[in-house]
Amino acid sequence: MDYPIDENSLTPMMTQYWAVKKEHKEHLLFYRMGDFYELFFRDAEIAAPLLDIVLTHRSKHMDQDIPMCGVPVATVNDYLAKLVQAGFTVAICEQLESPQEAKERGYKELVRRGVVRIVTPGTLTEETLLEARRPNNLVAITVSQNDTFSLASIDISTGRFLVESSPSVELAATISRLCPREILMSSRIRNGPWGNFLAQQASVSILPDSKFNLRIEEERLQKFFNVHDLFSFGSFSKSEIIACGALLDYLHLTQKEALGPLSPPRKVVPQEYVVVDASTRRNLELVCSCKGDPKNSLLGVIDQTITAHGGRLLFERLSSPIRNIKTLEARLDAIDFWRHHTEEHIFVTKLLKKTPDATRALSRLSLKRGTIRDLYTILETLKSFRSIQDHFSVLFQRKAFSVASNDSASCSEECKNAPENTGELSSTLFALSCPVQLQELLEKALFDVCKGTSQASPEDFIAPNFCAELDQYRMMRDRSKELIANLRKHYITETGINSLKIQFNHILGWHIDVPVSQVSRLPETFIHRQTLASSVRYTTLELQELQENLATATDRCAVLAQQVFSDLAKAILNQAKTIKEIAYALAVVDISQSFAHLARERQYVRPTFTQAPILSITKGRHPLVECRDISAQKNGFVANSCHLDDSATFVLLTGPNMAGKSTYLRQNVLISLMGHM
């Protein structure tokens, strides 16, 4: 039900809540109160059954109970995942100051709160909310006067920013290739002939027509990327610029001040890709079976990648098979390299198993949502990359030495050509340099024992001897009893009073307790605090300093650890471009080694490309049926050939129902598409 609101009768807390809610009526509002996010009124009634939590109430308003439910801050991502999956967007309202800071402004002052982020399907960055092996594309669509659509897409979890145009007859194929999680459009498009189709493809967000203004959006892009014009990024149409700007504006709206650096928009030429319409993708079961099962799709049966980034690259290449033969040959050369270097193949697979998802970790750090775990992710990625490069450096040097011993004239040529013979590995893996200083900084800063631990406090991840001040406060925090005991021993030695004690109470704090009979033996440095019947209590400057340090040790540990974290994150972001290139290089290593493994395992062969109108497949096998069908697994798949050219432009295929005609048709298309990915 909708609740009548009398703003004049609201409590101060609910007045603050309602002021925020009025600005975000279309979102569920997670209102931070201490260790919980609370939902009120209609939001609570919607969320409680979806999240399987108790719907309770908080006092009354206009003689009605105020519905309320809440979720712990520590596990909020679990609940966000359910709400986003159910089609809702969530505004996160945080406390912008501590209760102590609020009290300093006034005894009855409320803690300041404000929305710091709006969670939508296309703007997710957290590991628990994302599919690790699929992109999470947010797409903005505009239409020009000649009925051509422009599409700007970004995966905020990786920073990948693309823009392209598509005639209306190919829009469905383009959308199915991009696989968006969320689509931004104007009401004009939503109410037009394509509105219902687009709404069926992903979550839709309608933006006001004012958000699609060429001058405003062009200025927005120039300001964000700090350029005078956009020509350095490519030649964009007016409609494409509007789509890019609207997309950037939406990210500012949802991410607030946390929007970090993004890759500049890259112009995509649709003619580079093999056009596969939505219906064909569905029937070929490229990334999902007809029953909705990704495991029984073509992607599911050929995915031998190890890393999350490699899995996403495989998904993208399967979704977007290309026409460029030079690029395809480079990919195939890389696969051949692993097939002919079995020992190196085994070596890299072991390293890839230790390589986490650096691209998304980098994105979280840039959005100020990073954790200590993301620092470890960057470190492990750099270590894997450097180990692989060092290994192949030795390999190529060894080959060069071998050639030199037989033919000194060809030695330098062998060294020069060795990386180029590895196809696309030469332009990725062997073309980069590892930021060694950053790696060494992270190795020195991070405590290796804690990298797999989620329970330790943040400051425990900082290695000893990295920050002297942090070490001092950690020592105080962890050894407070020992420090007090050591100080007591020092005073006993200094005064000769064995009955001297150091005690604590909530009135005096830490103090020295000495029997009345021993007072005359105390030095002048002892400061009187309190006299009792049997003892006298004192303090010293040294004890006061220790007490102050102990009282602030835990807080200082947290503050210093956060400062170290921020410094390390800044050092990483200074190398963001290089780290992205390294992560992509490792993804290329992963996808090429996975295809090499697939080729050995299933006896796949390298395709040969020609400009002539010829399709020639000898003893082809349907990759899905071969892997999914029990009979094919037991008895082997009966191979079929296909040859089409100028003299035979079609095949007349006959046979009864269930004879395998459609299997034969799909088989040849799938083999062709695999060749083009």
Side-chain angles (χ1 to χ4, degrees):
M1 63 175 287
D2 292 326
Y3 291 86
I5 301 296
D6 179 7
E7 297 187 33
N8 294 324
S9 63
L10 288 170
T11 64
M13 177 67 77
M14 294 311 297
T15 298
Q16 186 188 59
Y17 166 84
W18 192 246
V20 177
K21 178 60 183 175
K22 283 194 300 183
E23 296 180 359
H24 300 88
K25 290 182 178 179
E26 67 274 27
H27 312 295
L28 298 178
L29 180 62
F30 273 35
Y31 183 77
R32 178 75 176 267
M33 295 179 68
D35 293 332
F36 279 79
Y37 289 111
E38 304 289 2
L39 297 94
F40 299 102
F41 295 107
R42 182 61 179 153
D43 286 1
E45 292 182 332
I46 292 172
L50 289 172
L51 302 178
D52 194 24
I53 56 179
V54 175
L55 179 66
T56 181
H57 68 275
R58 175 190 176 95
S59 65
K60 290 180 179 291
H61 177 64
M62 298 180 67
D63 296 326
Q64 294 187 40
D65 290 336
I66 299 176
M68 180 182 79
C69 65
V71 301
V73 172
T75 57
V76 66
N77 286 346
D78 297 336
Y79 297 99
L80 287 176
K82 293 179 181 180
L83 293 175
V84 171
Q85 190 174 6
F88 292 94
T89 57
V90 180
I92 306 294
C93 180
E94 290 285 0
Q95 296 176 179
L96 303 180
E97 62 181 355
S98 68
Q100 183 60 37
E101 290 171 322
K103 286 182 179 179
E104 291 175 359
R105 291 189 291 107
Y107 178 70
K108 293 185 177 181
E109 287 291 327
L110 290 175
V111 172
R112 287 197 183 101
R113 291 176 172 86
V115 171
V116 298
R117 177 190 176 195
I118 298 173
V119 181
T120 73
T123 60
L124 304 177
T125 56
E126 291 80 0
E127 285 181 285
T128 53
L129 303 182
L130 291 167
E131 292 185 65
R133 306 177 75 80
R134 292 198 177 198
N136 197 73
N137 288 329
L138 172 68
V139 175
I141 300 180
T142 59
V143 61
S144 61
Q145 294 180 348
N146 60 359
D147 203 29
T148 296
F149 288 87
S150 294
L151 302 94
S153 66
I154 191 165
D155 183 348
I156 192 176
S157 70
T158 63
R160 189 166 176 260
F161 195 172
L162 305 176
V163 59
E164 60 186 284
S165 290
S166 170
S168 58
V169 293
E170 294 182 4
L171 179 61
T174 304
I175 288 292
S176 62
R177 171 167 57 80
L178 292 173
C179 298
R181 282 293 309 279
E182 184 178 0
I183 299 176
L184 312 179
M185 66 180 79
S186 65
S187 55
R188 173 191 170 193
I189 295 178
R190 181 65 182 92
N191 297 327
W194 285 96
N196 289 335
F197 167 79
L198 294 171
Q200 293 170 2
Q201 308 308 306
S203 173
V204 167
S205 295
I206 309 299
L207 301 181
D209 291 341
S210 59
K211 296 292 185 181
F212 298 89
N213 180 285
L214 175 61
R215 181 183 61 80
I216 294 175
E217 305 309 341
E218 186 171 23
E219 289 178 356
R220 191 190 312 279
L221 288 165
Q222 291 171 347
K223 181 179 179 181
F224 183 81
F225 291 107
N226 194 27
V227 294
H228 292 294
D229 57 59
L230 302 176
F231 291 116
S232 57
F233 301 146
S235 177
F236 303 118
S237 68
K238 294 179 180 179
S239 183
E240 289 171 341
I241 292 173
I242 293 172
C244 289
L247 190 62
L248 194 60
D249 182 41
Y250 186 73
L251 291 179
H252 278 297
L253 174 69
T254 57
Q255 308 306 300
K256 307 300 180 182
E257 300 301 322
L259 185 59
L262 303 172
S263 299
R266 180 173 68 84
K267 180 70 175 283
V268 173
V269 180
Q271 290 75 19
E272 295 176 355
Y273 300 109
V274 177
V275 177
V276 185
D277 62 61
S279 176
T280 302
R281 286 179 188 273
R282 184 169 57 253
N283 289 317
L284 289 177
E285 302 179 296
L286 294 185
V287 297
C288 189
S289 73
C290 291
K291 295 181 179 180
D293 181 10
K295 291 183 179 179
N296 284 320
S297 65
L298 177 63
L299 177 67
V301 301
I302 68 171
D303 188 357
Q304 302 282 337
T305 57
I306 297 171
T307 66
H309 197 165
R312 290 197 300 274
L313 186 60
L314 174 61
F315 182 94
E316 291 167 10
R317 290 188 176 182
L318 178 56
S319 299
S320 308
I322 61 171
R323 298 173 179 270
N324 190 299
I325 294 178
K326 183 178 179 181
T327 302
L328 290 170
E329 295 289 5
R331 293 179 183 179
L332 292 165
D333 285 343
I335 298 169
D336 269 346
F337 175 81
W338 299 121
R339 292 185 65 224
H340 297 137
H341 293 80
T342 307
E343 289 185 8
E344 282 67 33
H345 188 184
I346 295 172
F347 172 79
V348 297
T349 56
K350 290 179 179 178
L351 280 176
L352 290 173
K353 290 176 182 177
K354 303 176 184 178
T355 305
D357 194 345
T359 310
R360 283 183 168 169
L362 191 65
S363 177
R364 285 190 291 273
L365 289 169
S366 69
L367 291 167
K368 297 180 174 61
R369 294 177 201 150
T371 64
I372 293 289
R373 183 174 178 177
D374 293 319
L375 301 186
Y376 281 111
T377 292
I378 301 300
L379 173 58
E380 292 301 317
T381 299
L382 295 180
K383 288 167 68 175
S384 294
F385 176 75
R386 190 175 179 185
S387 295
I388 292 174
Q389 276 205 329
D390 289 348
H391 179 85
F392 284 103
S393 176
V394 173
L395 173 68
F396 292 134
Q397 287 176 10
R398 189 166 63 241
K399 282 190 172 184
F401 179 79
S402 176
V403 171
S405 62
N406 295 298
D407 182 4
S408 58
S410 61
C411 171
S412 59
E413 191 65 25
E414 177 69 17
C415 291
K416 178 181 177 182
N417 291 332
E420 280 74 5
N421 294 336
T422 61
E424 68 173 333
L425 296 177
S426 64
S427 60
T428 54
L429 181 65
F430 302 120
L432 298 172
S433 298
C434 182
V436 177
Q437 289 184 336
L438 175 61
Q439 180 186 337
E440 292 175 347
L441 173 66
L442 293 174
E443 286 176 331
K444 182 180 178 182
L446 300 178
F447 195 35
D448 192 56
V449 175
C450 292
K451 68 180 178 182
T453 304
S454 58
Q455 299 300 319
S457 57
E459 55 267 26
D460 290 331
F461 286 89
I462 309 303
N465 303 319
F466 182 76
C467 175
E469 189 178 1
L470 177 59
D471 289 344
Q472 179 184 353
Y473 281 108
R474 275 196 299 208
M475 183 266 292
M476 291 180 184
R477 181 199 64 185
D478 299 336
R479 297 173 54 203
S480 59
K481 291 183 179 180
E482 182 181 345
L483 291 171
I484 292 293
N486 288 340
L487 186 59
R488 176 176 177 266
K489 290 178 182 178
H490 169 69
Y491 288 149
I492 289 174
T493 302
E494 182 183 2
T495 63
I497 305 173
N498 292 327
S499 55
L500 181 148
K501 298 175 183 177
I502 297 181
Q503 298 175 330
F504 178 86
N505 66 37
H506 293 290
I507 297 174
L508 297 180
W510 289 103
H511 58 272
I512 303 164
D513 190 274
V514 179
V516 173
S517 61
Q518 303 294 324
V519 169
S520 61
R521 303 174 66 178
L522 294 176
E524 293 181 356
T525 53
F526 278 58
I527 304 167
H528 178 267
R529 294 298 306 276
Q530 188 179 36
T531 300
L532 302 178
S534 59
S535 66
V536 183
R537 292 172 173 175
Y538 294 85
T539 187
T540 64
L541 294 177
E542 191 175 17
L543 180 58
Q544 288 176 348
E545 183 181 357
L546 178 58
Q547 174 174 294
E548 185 178 339
N549 288 338
L550 292 179
T552 60
T554 300
D555 292 339
R556 287 296 298 162
C557 281
V559 170
L560 289 169
Q562 183 58 45
Q563 183 59 54
V564 171
F565 174 86
S566 298
D567 292 343
L568 293 175
K570 184 178 180 180
I572 289 171
L573 294 175
N574 287 338
Q575 297 284 346
K577 184 175 182 293
T578 301
I579 294 172
K580 278 187 178 182
E581 292 172 344
I582 286 173
Y584 180 76
L586 292 174
V588 168
V589 170
D590 192 10
I591 193 173
S592 57
Q593 71 77 26
S594 74
F595 283 143
H597 176 75
L598 206 64
R600 290 196 197 98
E601 185 181 65
R602 300 181 192 171
Q603 291 79 52
Y604 288 171
V605 299
R606 176 171 180 157
T608 301
F609 298 98
T610 175
Q611 297 289 352
I614 297 172
L615 173 64
S616 182
I617 298 174
T618 304
K619 294 183 179 180
R621 311 189 309 274
H622 192 299
L624 274 166
V625 174
E626 184 178 42
C627 293
R628 293 192 316 194
D629 188 87
I630 297 176
S631 176
Q633 292 176 5
K634 182 178 179 180
N635 303 316
F637 187 93
V638 178
N640 302 281
S641 298
C642 177
H643 186 85
L644 296 171
D645 57 22
D646 283 337
S647 62
T649 57
F650 71 92
V651 170
L652 181 61
L653 194 61
T654 64
N657 290 341
M658 306 299 289
K661 299 186 297 297
S662 61
T663 299
Y664 178 74
L665 292 173
R666 290 187 178 94
Q667 165 188 310
N668 292 309
V669 178
L670 287 172
I671 291 172
S672 298
L673 287 178
M674 289 172 68
H676 280 279
M677 63 173 287

